[in-house]
Amino acid sequence: MSRMLRSCIQSLLKLVNSFLAMFGIAMILYAIWMIRAWNREMEDSDYPAPWFIYTMLGLGVTLCVITCSGHIAAETANGCCLYCYLVFVVFLLMLEGAVTMDVFLNRNWEEDFPKDPSGNFNEFKNFIKENFDMCKWVGLCIVSIQGLCTVLALILNGLGPHQQRHYDSDDDYTLEEVPLLRNYGNQPTFVVGAPVYGTR
């Protein structure tokens, strides 16, 4: 029963991680599209791309790395891999929570971020204000998925790894544990050093 439960939790963790991976890939693609649009508009200017584009690209790559570690942790069900994965997810949740609290509690939150001389950050901020309900639900979905990943990883860690038998030598197992040698009662026994009759 525990083996079937462990397999279900592993499959669920992989599935939930896949949603995070899709969101990370979407962030990477959106950041690349913004960098290309920025380079088209500002090809004669020496301005570098705005900081929030590289931040979005970095967050997308970080999400993809975390989901890869989550897939490895779910497949192996190893305690060390699961703890590393949990540390990554909890750290990301804490970072998201800190930014959210700064935006909601600090009225001058824009001063905490680097200046954007291009004005694209203001356009991005206006887009979020106009589509606040959609952005709120997307953010809540991402946080919920990360929380579900944390719970599933904790459950999988509590169930422990698969119990596997390792046979390093012939002395580590009895004949009852090996299914191919169950009919050993009718086999003749041989004694080392005994004479063999019938041969010359």
Side-chain angles (χ1 to χ4, degrees):
M1 182 67 182
S2 65
R3 188 177 215 173
M4 191 170 77
L5 181 62
R6 186 185 295 112
S7 296
C8 289
I9 297 294
Q10 284 177 309
S11 301
L12 274 174
L13 186 56
K14 289 178 187 176
L15 179 67
V16 173
N17 260 324
S18 299
F19 288 120
L20 275 181
M22 285 190 286
F23 186 73
I25 291 169
M27 287 179 74
I28 291 171
L29 292 176
Y30 182 63
I32 291 172
W33 176 79
M34 284 198 298
I35 288 172
R36 289 194 60 193
W38 173 264
N39 288 336
R40 270 199 313 268
E41 290 178 10
M42 301 286 191
E43 56 183 341
D44 296 333
S45 175
D46 292 336
Y47 280 125
W51 60 270
F52 64 90
I53 296 177
Y54 291 117
T55 304
M56 187 167 290
L57 183 63
L59 282 174
V61 171
T62 303
L63 268 180
C64 289
V65 170
I66 288 174
T67 53
C68 286
S69 68
H71 276 283
I72 294 169
E75 183 64 33
T76 60
N78 186 350
C80 182
C81 293
L82 285 168
Y83 281 126
C84 290
Y85 173 66
L86 282 170
V87 166
F88 288 145
V89 173
V90 169
F91 179 73
L92 190 62
L93 280 169
M94 287 171 58
L95 183 66
E96 291 169 357
V99 171
T100 304
M101 294 300 285
D102 184 44
V103 169
F104 280 109
L105 297 179
N106 185 7
R107 294 188 178 192
N108 300 321
W109 61 271
E110 293 180 33
E111 297 176 1
D112 296 337
F113 293 101
K115 299 295 182 187
D116 177 27
S118 65
N120 283 341
F121 180 66
N122 292 328
E123 292 178 12
F124 183 70
K125 186 178 69 174
N126 292 333
F127 172 78
I128 290 177
K129 283 181 179 177
E130 290 170 4
N131 303 300
F132 183 72
D133 289 336
M134 182 189 72
C135 294
K136 179 179 71 175
W137 284 111
V138 168
L140 285 174
C141 286
I142 292 167
V143 171
S144 302
I145 288 172
Q146 289 172 343
L148 185 59
C149 285
T150 305
V151 171
L152 290 173
L154 284 171
I155 293 172
L156 189 59
N157 190 26
L159 291 173
H162 291 291
Q163 298 295 325
Q164 297 176 348
R165 292 178 179 160
H166 299 287
Y167 302 114
D168 293 334
S169 67
D170 293 341
D171 298 332
D172 290 343
Y173 60 92
T174 61
L175 292 175
E176 287 85 6
E177 294 176 342
V178 184
L180 295 176
L181 300 178
R182 284 198 179 144
N183 296 327
Y184 60 88
N186 298 331
Q187 296 176 354
T189 57
F190 297 101
V191 179
V192 178
V196 179
Y197 298 102
T199 60
R200 293 186 179 185

